[in-house]
């Protein structure tokens, strides 16, 4: 079995995942929620495939100002809810 380096041009969201992991704190919750919301919007025809990346990236960028490095479970749930709403709002810009 041979493994090759991932194609970051073809899969740009991979770098967003690495970035969220390196940042830590609530950024991973924001990434996950934005990713789930963007994929749902794509499946429902609200955004195009290439807009998934834009929505996730925009949500992560907006979350930087509220990043919490030691969140409680309640704060993680709040970020999840916020990120889903943010992604939905960004979908109108991306589409």
């Amino acid at each position: 079995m041979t493994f090759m380096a991932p194609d970051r041009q073809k899969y740009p969201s991979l770098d967003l995942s690495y970035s969220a992991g390196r940042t830590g704190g609530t950024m991973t919750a924001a990434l996950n929620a934005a990713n789930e919301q963007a994929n749902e919007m794509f499946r429902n025809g609200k955004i195009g495939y290439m807009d998934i990346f834009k929505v996730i990236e925009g949500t992560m960028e907006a979350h930087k100002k509220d990043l919490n490095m030691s969140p409680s479970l309640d704060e993680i749930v709040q970020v999840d809810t916020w990120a889903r709403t943010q992604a939905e709002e960004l979908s109108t810009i991306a589409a």
Side-chain angles (χ1 to χ4, degrees):
M1 187 179 294
T2 303
F3 292 95
M4 297 172 45
D7 183 343
R8 290 191 153 109
Q9 292 288 67
K10 191 173 182 180
Y11 306 106
S13 294
L14 186 58
D15 286 332
L16 294 177
S17 298
Y18 285 134
S19 175
R22 282 191 299 273
T23 300
T26 53
M27 189 58 79
T28 53
L31 164 86
N32 184 65
N35 181 56
E36 288 180 1
Q37 189 66 35
N39 277 279
E40 182 178 331
M41 291 184 297
F42 167 69
R43 290 189 311 273
N44 291 331
K46 291 183 177 180
I47 62 173
Y49 178 76
M50 300 307 289
D51 295 324
I52 294 171
F53 171 81
K54 295 174 191 173
V55 168
I56 298 168
E57 181 182 47
T59 301
M60 289 175 64
E61 187 62 35
H63 182 59
K64 286 181 181 178
K65 67 183 181 335
D66 296 319
L67 181 65
N68 181 342
M69 295 305 290
S70 298
S72 67
L73 180 56
D74 286 340
E75 291 167 325
I76 292 169
V77 171
Q78 289 172 357
V79 168
D80 181 276
T81 302
W82 170 86
R84 290 172 192 277
T85 301
Q86 180 71 16
E88 189 78 40
E89 290 172 8
L90 289 173
S91 72
T92 61
I93 297 167

